[in-house]
């Protein structure tokens, strides 16, 4: 039981008297007057509804323009306005005596200007007329309950607006007057609360036979019961003179000790409104009503049951009823006035509580009004500031913790930076991290708090408890712990949360545990292992060279993380680019050589840089080695590497390396591979190795003929006796006809030791060969002259003499000729059918045609090539015998203007016959007729 005397009182409502609206006569400012004789009231659907003793029903809209209609002939006793439908249910009398009538009005439809009455029926339980005490209607229009002074309750089920769709029955009978009724709808379950002056019962209407349950053995007076809203779980409120009780459909709930004779009870927006007698000594009646001692003052109290305070309390003169509409409360008094109670806004109420430092009550009020989180956070802040100013730092920090997520953390942190309050700051920062709202600075500050407090247990708990979810910035925590010297904690965090860079940084730079760092890298995934070896490889190579080299070998061949035993073999190992790790071995040539040799052995497709570096390393070792046996071994290794075929694409680089280290065999090998035969010969010339010069000419002279000419010039410039080598060179020049004799003589003229006897044999042989060639040319000229004479004679015969065809056999089938036949000037004859079958052209002899076409193709080729100036110049420049090239082009007719006539045009005069005969002779064919 809660005693209301302990509840604080506030003025959360503003009271005003409703005044008339401005009129044309300027009557504004006068209190609004109710029509006289009002007996009952209700509200809903935007109007206040009144019933009077004359049978009229009045409607007062927000514009305060009263309207009415005659509902009954005598009086109106009860009204019920539905909130979700424009349906009004009334009880009144049309004749004297106890004969109440129930009328259902549809306010949206009109009948002669008045609302349409859809149903009328007498309110009589059974056959005994009695007075109606209370009325209620279900919002779904399927139930209506009427209570009577004799203790009866009549239930109408079905459509209450129509007679034929509803059924009326007596639900309850008793000895005590019914003082209150209320429907409670929860889901699909419908209950009806029935309260009398002596008991309270609950009927379940969703089940057949309507089972009921007696909830209590005391009741209340008329209008002293109501139904709460969902904020109080739709409880039935019964106000006795000693206490106010709340009921569920199956049990009694809490009660509140609000003393005084209760006259009116209503529920409004979470508030319980009670109108009671002002004097506690007033007499009580068993069937209390609002007509007893009307001249007494009455107190209207508005209770907030949830937050346990009185929101408003005021004294009125003879209250008729309290109505709720348009977001306000309207108190109707017997003198005809209407008082409006306008609830203050939430912020105003909170400010009133703040001024009285009632922060806990403000918090509860804000929650009950469903204030958003920003508004609640502001209350927590003000409450925290209040406690902080009073010196209650522990309480203040608890309120500030409730602002996390809304209030800027720096506001709180600045207040608690004092060393004496560091434990409060630690608590706040811990909560900030638990809610995952901390940034890097907050993490830094919290860890510094732990370190200053020397609270290692809290520190370990903070970094080790967040197994599933990390509530702080790990990288910042690692950095702070490292700076504070908590290396073990920092390493733990880095390893646990896979911050590989920080783990290795601390291990290598702070702890100096190189072996452990290298082992850790070996457990990382390939990408991280590769990047960290590039970053820390030089440090590791300096302190643990052998182990680092072994890890690099694995990383560049077939890497598998050392801790990944389950996945071993399931995934193909990745390989790093070995060339990228060469800089790591800057001061470790021995390990570098081992690494490079390992890579070339296991990976023949290693990057070119690996082979280049290995070659350079071997050449350096060879150049600096003093022991002959070892030097020979290194020489062979370097030459073998050169011959591996891996330097074709970097030929110039390999050649430079060999030249830098004076590696002669390598230089010559590369010259040979690059077909730099002149460089090979020049190399031997520089070293004056005459035999080697001759050998080079013999080996590569066929591929590059100028070698012999250069060799001859080389020996010609030598002042010492080189007759043997000059003779050898001249012999080869003579055999290959590489140089004109005159040029040979001019070349040897520079040698003071060379005498004519050196080239005597060469010149004699050359002159003999030229004499033979002259004889052969003269014979060929004589032959061509005789041939030319013969052809000219044939031409003359064709011009002057007839041609006799004496062939008796066909040149194709060799059968005897028969008419018709075809004869050609070349002497071949054919059957006409044979000619037509085998000939491709009517004007050419099938037998001579292949040879004639060859000649024609040669002539066309000569015509196409005779203008190829660039080709002629190129051949003339590259040929050893330029005269033969010029003679060849003369023979093709390149330098002659030749006109080729292939066919005699139609209508050509016989004067052109001579040109045609010349062509026919050239083709060795004669045209047939």
């Amino acid at each position: 039981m809660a005693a209301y005397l302990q509840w604080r009182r506030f003025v959360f409502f503003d009271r005003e008297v409703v005044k008339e609206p401005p009129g044309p006569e300027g009557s504004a400012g006068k209190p609004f007057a109710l029509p006289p004789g009002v007996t009952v009231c209700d509200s809903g659907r935007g109007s206040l509804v009144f019933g009077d003793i004359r049978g009229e029903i009045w409607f007062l809209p927000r514009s305060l323009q009263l309207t009415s209609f005659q509902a009954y002939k005598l009086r109106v006793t009860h009204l019920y306005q539905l909130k979700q439908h424009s349906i009004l249910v009334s009880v009144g009398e049309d004749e004297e005596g106890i004969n109440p009538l129930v009328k259902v009005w549809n306010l949206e439809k009109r009948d002669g200007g008045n609302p349409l009455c859809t149903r009328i029926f007498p309110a009589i339980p059974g056959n005994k007329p009695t007075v109606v005490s209370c009325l209620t209607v279900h919002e779904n229009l399927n139930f209506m309950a009427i209570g009577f002074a004799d203790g009866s309750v009549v239930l109408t089920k079905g459509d209450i607006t129509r007679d034929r769709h509803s059924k009326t029955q007596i639900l309850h009978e008793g000895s005590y007057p019914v003082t209150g009724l209320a429907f409670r709808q929860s889901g699909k379950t419908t209950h009806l609360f029935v309260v009398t002056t002596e008991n309270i019962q609950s009927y379940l209407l969703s089940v057949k036979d309507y089972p009921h349950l007696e909830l209590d053995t005391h009741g209340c007076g008329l209008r002293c019961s109501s139904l709460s809203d969902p904020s109080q779980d739709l409880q039935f409120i019964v106000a006795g003179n000693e206490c106010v009780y709340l009921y569920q459909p199956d049990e009694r709930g809490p009660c509140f000790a609000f003393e005084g004779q209760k006259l009116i009870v209503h529920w409004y927006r979470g508030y319980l409104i009670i109108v009671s007698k002002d004097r506690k000594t007033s007499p009580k009646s068993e069937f209390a009503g609002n007509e007893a001692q009307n001249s007494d003052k009455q107190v209207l109290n508005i209770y907030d049951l949830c937050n346990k305070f009185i929101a408003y309390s005021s004294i009125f003169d003879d209250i008729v009823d309290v109505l709720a509409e348009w977001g306000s409360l309207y108190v109707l008094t017997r003198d005809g006035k209407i008082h409006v109670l306008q609830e203050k806004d939430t912020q105003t109420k909170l400010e009133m509580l703040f001024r009285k430092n009632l922060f806990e009550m403000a918090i509860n009020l804000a929650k009950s009004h469903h204030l958003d989180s920003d508004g609640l956070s502001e209350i927590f802040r003000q409450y925290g500031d209040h406690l902080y100013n009073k010196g209650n730092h522990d309480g203040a920090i608890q309120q500030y913790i409730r602002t996390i997520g809304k209030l800027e953390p720096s506001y709180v942190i600045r207040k608690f930076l004092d060393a004496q309050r560091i434990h409060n700051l630690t608590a706040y920062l811990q909560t900030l991290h638990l809610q995952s709202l901390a940034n890097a600075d907050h993490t830094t500050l919290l860890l510094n708090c732990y370190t200053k407090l020397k609270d290692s247990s809290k520190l370990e708990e903070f970094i080790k408890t967040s197994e599933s979810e990390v509530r702080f910035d790990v990288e910042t925590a690692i950095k702070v712990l490292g700076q504070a010297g908590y290396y073990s904690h920092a390493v733990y965090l880095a390893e646990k949360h896979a911050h590989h860079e920080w783990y290795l940084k601390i291990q290598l730079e702070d702890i100096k545990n190189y072996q452990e760092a290298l082992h850790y890298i070996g457990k990382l995934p390939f990408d991280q292992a590769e990047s960290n070896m590039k970053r820390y490889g030089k440090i590791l190579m300096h302190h643990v060279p052998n182990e680092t080299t072994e890890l690099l070998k694995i990383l560049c061949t077939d890497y598998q993380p050392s801790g990944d035993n389950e996945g071993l073999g399931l995934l193909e190992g990745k390989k790093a680019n070995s060339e990228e790790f060469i800089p790591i071995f800057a001061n470790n040539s021995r390990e570098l050589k081992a690494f490079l040799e390992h890579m070339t052995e296991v990976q023949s497709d290693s990057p070119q840089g690996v082979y280049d570096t290995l070659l350079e390393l071997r050449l350096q070792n060879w150049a600096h080695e003093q022991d002959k046996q070892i030097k020979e071994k290194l020489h062979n290794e370097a030459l073998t590497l050169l011959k591996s075929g891996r330097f074709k694409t970097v030929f110039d680089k390999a050649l430079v390396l060999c030249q830098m280290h004076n590696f002669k065999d390598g230089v010559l090998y590369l010259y040979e591979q690059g077909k730099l035969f002149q460089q090979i010969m020049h190399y031997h010339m520089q070293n004056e190795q005459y035999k080697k010069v001759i050998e080079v000419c013999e080996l590569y002279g066929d591929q590059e003929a100028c070698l012999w000419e250069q060799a001859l010039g080389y020996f010609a410039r030598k002042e010492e006796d080189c007759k043997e080598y000059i003779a050898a060179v001249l012999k080869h020049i003579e055999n290959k006809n590489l140089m004109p004799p005159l040029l040979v003589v001019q070349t040897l003229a520079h040698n003071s030791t060379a005498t004519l006897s050196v080239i005597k044999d060469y010149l004699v042989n050359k002159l003999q060969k030229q004499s033979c060639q002259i004889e052969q040319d003269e014979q060929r000229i004589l032959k061509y002259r005789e041939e030319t004479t013969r052809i000219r004679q044939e031409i003359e015969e064709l011009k002057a003499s007839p041609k006799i065809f004496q062939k008796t056999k066909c040149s194709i089938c060799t059968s005897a000729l028969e008419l018709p036949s075809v004869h050609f000037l070349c002497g071949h004859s054919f059957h006409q059918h044979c000619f037509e079958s085998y000939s491709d052209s009517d004007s050419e002899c099938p037998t001579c045609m292949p040879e004639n076409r060859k000649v024609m193709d040669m002539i066309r080729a000569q015509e196409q090539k005779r203008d190829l100036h660039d080709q002629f110049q190129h051949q003339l420049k590259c040929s050893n015998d330029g005269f033969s090239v010029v003679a060849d082009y003369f023979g093709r007719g390149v330098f002659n203007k030749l006109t080729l006539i292939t066919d005699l045009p139609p209508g050509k005069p016989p004067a052109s016959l001579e040109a045609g005969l010349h062509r026919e002779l050239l083709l060795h064919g004669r045209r047939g007729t």
Side-chain angles (χ1 to χ4, degrees):
M1 180 179 292
Y4 84 99
L5 293 176
Q6 300 175 358
W7 289 17
R8 287 183 174 272
R9 294 174 181 266
F10 300 99
V11 183
F12 286 165
F13 286 79
D14 295 323
R15 174 178 171 178
E16 292 182 2
V17 176
V18 176
K19 297 181 180 181
E20 293 183 357
E25 299 178 359
S27 58
K30 295 181 181 180
F32 182 83
L34 288 173
V38 172
T39 56
V40 290
C41 310
D42 204 353
S43 63
R45 307 300 290 179
S47 296
L48 304 182
V49 186
F50 313 121
D52 61 16
I53 59 176
R54 295 181 299 276
E56 287 187 89
I57 295 178
W58 299 79
F59 294 96
L60 180 64
R62 197 164 192 175
S63 62
L64 302 181
Q65 301 295 327
L66 271 172
T67 59
S68 67
F69 72 95
Q70 192 71 37
Y72 295 90
K73 296 178 181 178
L74 294 181
R75 67 183 63 86
V76 181
T77 59
H78 295 82
L79 290 174
Y80 192 93
Q81 172 67 58
L82 276 80
K83 304 300 184 287
Q84 300 178 11
H85 303 277
S86 295
I87 299 296
L88 175 66
V89 180
S90 63
V91 179
E93 298 175 1
D94 280 341
E95 57 186 19
E96 294 292 342
I98 303 176
N99 188 21
L101 289 177
V102 178
K103 295 185 179 182
V104 180
W105 307 90
N106 189 334
L107 303 181
E108 292 180 346
K109 297 181 180 180
R110 293 290 167 177
D111 181 15
N114 297 329
L116 176 64
C117 182
T118 62
R119 183 179 181 187
I120 303 176
F121 64 94
I124 299 175
N127 298 321
K128 184 175 66 173
T130 183
V131 176
V132 174
S133 59
C134 54
L135 167 71
T136 187
V137 181
H138 200 290
E139 286 293 334
N140 64 12
L141 301 178
N142 287 328
F143 292 103
M144 180 169 60
I146 303 173
F148 296 90
D150 65 353
S152 302
V153 176
V154 173
L155 177 68
T156 300
K157 183 179 180 181
D159 188 353
I160 65 168
T161 62
R162 298 182 182 180
D163 287 325
R164 2 177 238 184
H165 295 97
S166 62
K167 180 180 179 182
T168 302
Q169 67 182 85
I170 298 175
L171 178 68
H172 172 80
E173 292 181 334
S175 304
Y176 305 105
V178 178
T179 57
L181 298 170
F183 287 107
R184 182 183 189 273
Q185 185 71 39
S186 178
K188 296 183 179 180
T189 304
T190 306
H191 288 89
L192 174 64
F193 290 102
V194 178
V195 58
T196 66
T197 56
E198 297 297 332
N199 58 35
I200 303 170
Q201 298 194 34
S202 169
Y203 284 85
L204 178 59
L205 303 183
S206 303
V207 180
K208 191 177 181 181
D209 299 333
Y210 307 137
H212 68 279
L213 177 66
E214 186 173 16
L215 300 177
D216 216 331
T217 56
H218 60 79
C220 65
L222 281 173
R223 300 197 298 171
C224 291
S225 62
S226 183
L227 189 72
S228 69
D229 57 20
S231 67
Q232 283 291 334
D233 198 19
L234 297 174
Q235 297 184 88
F236 187 55
I237 302 170
V238 177
N241 291 332
E242 300 295 333
C243 297
V244 174
Y245 300 91
L246 277 68
Y247 296 92
Q248 293 283 357
D250 54 355
E251 63 180 353
R252 190 177 78 176
C255 66
F256 299 89
F258 301 148
E259 296 182 356
Q261 182 181 351
K262 313 301 187 301
L263 302 178
I264 300 173
V265 173
H266 286 296
W267 185 267
Y268 168 73
R269 290 187 178 180
Y271 293 112
L272 176 62
I273 302 169
I274 297 179
V275 177
S276 58
K277 288 284 188 181
D278 184 31
R279 294 182 302 174
K280 299 180 180 179
T281 58
S282 60
K284 304 175 184 177
S285 66
E286 185 175 320
F287 185 51
N290 65 327
E291 296 182 0
Q293 297 187 7
N294 290 333
S295 61
D296 293 340
K297 297 289 185 181
Q298 297 174 355
V299 179
L300 183 145
N301 289 320
I302 301 177
Y303 299 95
D304 188 331
L305 301 184
C306 180
N307 298 310
K308 294 182 173 54
F309 63 80
I310 301 174
Y312 183 78
S313 180
S314 183
I315 297 176
F316 291 86
D317 292 331
D318 202 358
I319 297 175
V320 176
D321 207 343
V322 180
L323 303 178
E325 192 65 27
W326 310 308
S328 301
L329 289 174
Y330 293 87
V331 182
L332 282 62
T333 55
R334 189 66 60 185
D335 58 5
K337 295 181 180 179
I338 302 177
H339 303 265
V340 58
L341 300 180
Q342 180 68 44
E343 185 179 7
K344 299 178 184 294
D345 61 84
T346 303
Q347 190 59 39
T348 302
K349 291 188 284 186
L350 291 175
E351 290 174 356
M352 295 171 63
L353 295 174
F354 293 157
R355 286 194 292 270
K356 297 181 180 181
N357 294 325
L358 299 175
F359 292 99
E360 287 290 350
M361 187 170 290
I363 292 169
N364 296 331
L365 178 66
K367 289 181 179 179
S368 65
H369 283 62
H370 304 290
L371 196 66
D372 59 11
S373 56
D374 293 333
L376 283 172
S377 177
E378 177 61 21
I379 299 173
F380 296 143
R381 183 195 65 77
Q382 294 188 36
Y383 192 15
D385 291 346
H386 171 70
L387 295 175
Y388 182 86
N389 294 330
K390 290 176 62 178
N392 184 1
H393 298 124
D394 293 338
I397 203 67
Q398 294 303 318
Q399 297 305 318
Y400 288 135
I401 286 174
R402 299 170 78 178
T403 67
I404 290 177
K406 298 298 180 181
L407 181 63
E408 177 61 37
S410 61
Y411 177 86
V412 181
I413 293 172
R414 283 196 298 268
K415 291 178 176 291
F416 293 89
L417 282 178
D418 193 331
Q420 296 179 353
R421 295 190 287 274
I422 194 171
H423 63 283
N424 297 127
L425 179 60
T426 304
Y428 179 81
L429 292 171
Q430 282 178 339
T431 309
L432 198 65
H433 283 80
L434 286 175
Q435 297 187 19
S436 302
L437 295 173
N439 58 28
D441 294 333
H442 301 149
T443 303
T444 302
L445 187 58
L446 177 59
L447 293 174
N448 285 329
C449 290
Y450 285 142
T451 55
K452 287 186 178 181
L453 292 172
K454 305 296 182 182
D455 195 346
S456 298
S457 60
K458 282 283 187 181
L459 179 61
E460 289 191 7
E461 181 183 357
F462 175 72
I463 66 175
K464 293 183 179 181
T465 53
S466 303
E467 295 292 339
S468 59
E469 181 182 359
V470 181
R471 297 186 175 92
F472 56 89
D473 186 82
V474 176
E475 186 171 352
T476 301
I478 295 171
K479 187 187 303 182
V480 174
L481 291 171
Q483 293 172 351
Y486 287 80
Y487 298 125
S488 60
H489 296 78
V491 167
Y492 169 82
L493 273 181
E495 184 175 9
K496 176 183 175 183
H497 298 286
H499 283 259
H500 310 309
E501 293 78 6
W502 277 105
Y503 179 90
L504 294 172
K505 179 179 175 63
I506 296 172
Q507 288 282 19
L508 295 173
E509 298 179 7
D510 299 322
I511 304 177
K512 309 293 185 183
N513 192 344
Y514 305 105
Q515 195 71 39
E516 184 63 30
L518 190 65
H519 178 68
Y520 183 82
I521 292 176
K523 296 189 295 183
L524 296 179
F526 171 78
D527 294 333
Q528 284 89 352
E530 181 185 23
S531 63
N532 282 293
M533 281 305 295
K534 291 177 181 178
R535 183 174 181 179
Y536 299 107
K538 288 185 179 180
I539 300 175
L540 294 171
M541 183 61 67
H542 178 72
H543 293 90
V544 281
N546 295 330
E547 292 83 352
T548 304
T549 303
E550 291 302 316
L551 179 58
L552 286 174
K553 289 179 181 179
I554 297 173
L555 189 65
C556 296
T557 52
D558 189 11
Y559 179 76
Q560 288 283 355
S562 58
D564 189 13
N565 295 324
E566 296 182 359
L568 194 61
L570 298 179
L571 297 175
E572 182 181 355
K574 295 183 177 181
K575 302 176 184 179
N577 186 350
S578 52
E579 184 179 2
E580 296 177 355
F581 295 99
I582 293 176
I584 292 175
F585 298 88
N587 299 317
N588 299 78
S589 58
R590 182 174 60 86
E591 285 76 14
L592 175 60
K593 182 180 178 183
F595 172 71
L596 295 176
E597 288 178 346
H598 172 78
M599 294 307 303
T600 55
E601 289 174 3
V602 300
Q603 278 188 9
S604 59
D605 59 343
S606 293
Q608 186 60 44
V610 173
Y611 287 91
D612 296 344
T613 308
L614 181 59
L615 175 62
E616 183 178 3
L617 198 60
R618 287 184 176 180
L619 290 175
Q620 286 178 355
N621 295 338
W622 172 81
H624 295 90
E625 184 59 50
Q626 301 298 325
D627 188 285
K628 291 184 178 181
Q629 292 183 351
I630 299 177
K631 193 176 185 70
E632 182 64 25
K633 180 182 178 183
L634 294 173
H635 174 277
N636 294 333
E637 289 179 353
L639 195 59
T640 302
L641 182 60
L642 275 176
K643 294 181 179 180
S644 64
R646 294 293 307 185
F647 299 93
K648 294 179 179 179
T649 58
V650 289
F651 172 83
D652 295 338
K653 187 175 182 180
L655 183 59
V656 169
L657 288 174
C658 291
Q659 290 172 342
M660 286 173 57
H661 297 87
N662 197 22
F663 190 57
K664 297 180 181 180
D665 291 346
V667 171
L668 292 174
Y669 172 76
L670 292 173
Y671 280 160
E672 181 180 358
Q673 293 299 310
K675 296 184 179 182
L676 302 176
F677 305 129
Q678 295 186 36
Q679 281 79 351
I680 296 175
M681 190 170 69
H682 290 164
Y683 180 83
H684 292 308
M685 288 177 178
Q686 290 174 358
N687 293 282
E688 296 187 349
Q689 297 174 338
Y690 301 150
K691 291 184 179 181
K692 291 289 185 180
V693 173
I694 299 297
E695 289 178 3
V696 170
C697 292
E698 291 175 348
L699 288 173
Y700 311 117
D702 294 339
Q703 302 179 44
E704 199 163 342
C706 62
L707 292 177
W708 291 103
E709 300 176 13
Q710 295 177 11
L712 181 62
Y714 169 72
F715 289 122
R717 288 190 296 271
K718 290 295 180 181
E719 294 300 327
E720 55 190 273
D721 189 6
C722 297
K723 294 180 181 180
E724 178 184 354
Y725 303 109
I726 292 175
V729 174
L730 285 175
K731 183 178 179 181
H732 192 83
I733 290 175
E734 178 185 356
N735 293 335
K736 298 294 184 178
N737 194 21
L738 298 177
M739 294 176 64
L742 184 58
L743 184 58
V744 172
V745 174
Q746 290 176 350
T747 302
L748 291 177
H750 298 287
N751 193 323
S752 59
T753 61
T755 60
L756 189 59
S757 60
V758 176
I759 61 171
K760 176 182 177 182
D761 295 337
Y762 167 75
L763 293 175
V764 170
N765 293 335
K766 196 67 176 175
L767 291 172
Q768 289 177 351
K769 288 182 180 179
Q770 289 183 354
S771 298
C772 292
Q773 184 66 36
I774 290 171
E775 290 178 1
Q776 291 176 3
D777 291 343
E778 288 178 348
Q779 291 176 3
R780 192 175 291 111
I781 290 170
L782 181 60
K783 180 181 176 182
Y784 288 158
R785 285 177 177 173
E786 293 175 353
E787 183 70 19
T788 302
T789 302
R790 184 183 61 79
I791 292 174
R792 286 177 176 173
Q793 289 177 358
E794 289 183 3
I795 292 173
E796 290 296 328
E797 289 179 358
L798 288 173
K799 288 180 180 181
S801 303
K803 179 66 176 177
I804 300 174
F805 301 103
Q806 295 179 345
K807 284 281 188 179
T808 59
K809 292 184 178 181
C810 176
S811 298
I812 293 178
C813 64
T814 66
S815 301
L817 280 175
E818 297 177 358
L819 294 176
S821 60
V822 179
H823 304 275
F824 286 87
L825 293 176
C826 60
H828 296 108
S829 300
F830 307 94
H831 293 116
Q832 184 175 356
H833 62 274
C834 291
F835 173 76
E836 292 174 350
S837 300
Y838 290 93
S839 177
D840 293 335
S841 174
D842 293 340
S843 59
E844 290 188 81
C845 172
T847 303
C848 299
M849 184 173 61
E851 188 65 25
N852 292 344
R853 288 192 175 178
K854 288 181 181 180
V855 175
M856 292 297 297
D857 291 341
M858 290 173 62
I859 294 173
R860 290 191 181 96
Q862 289 177 359
E863 285 184 337
Q864 292 174 359
K865 293 181 179 179
R866 66 180 181 177
D867 293 329
L868 300 179
H869 175 74
D870 293 339
Q871 183 178 359
F872 168 71
Q873 292 291 340
H874 178 72
Q875 291 185 5
L876 186 62
K877 183 177 180 180
C878 297
S879 175
N880 295 325
D881 188 0
F883 182 78
S884 61
V885 175
V886 175
D888 178 58
Y889 273 79
F890 264 108
R892 296 181 187 178
V894 173
F895 303 106
N896 299 329
K897 185 175 181 181
L898 177 65
T899 301
L900 179 64
I901 301 175
T902 55
D903 291 307
L904 186 64
K908 188 73 175 178
S912 61
L913 180 60
E914 183 177 353
L917 289 176
H918 278 288
R919 182 178 65 83
E920 295 292 345
L921 285 175
L922 183 60
L923 297 175
H924 300 286
R926 297 173 182 173
R927 188 167 184 173
T929 56

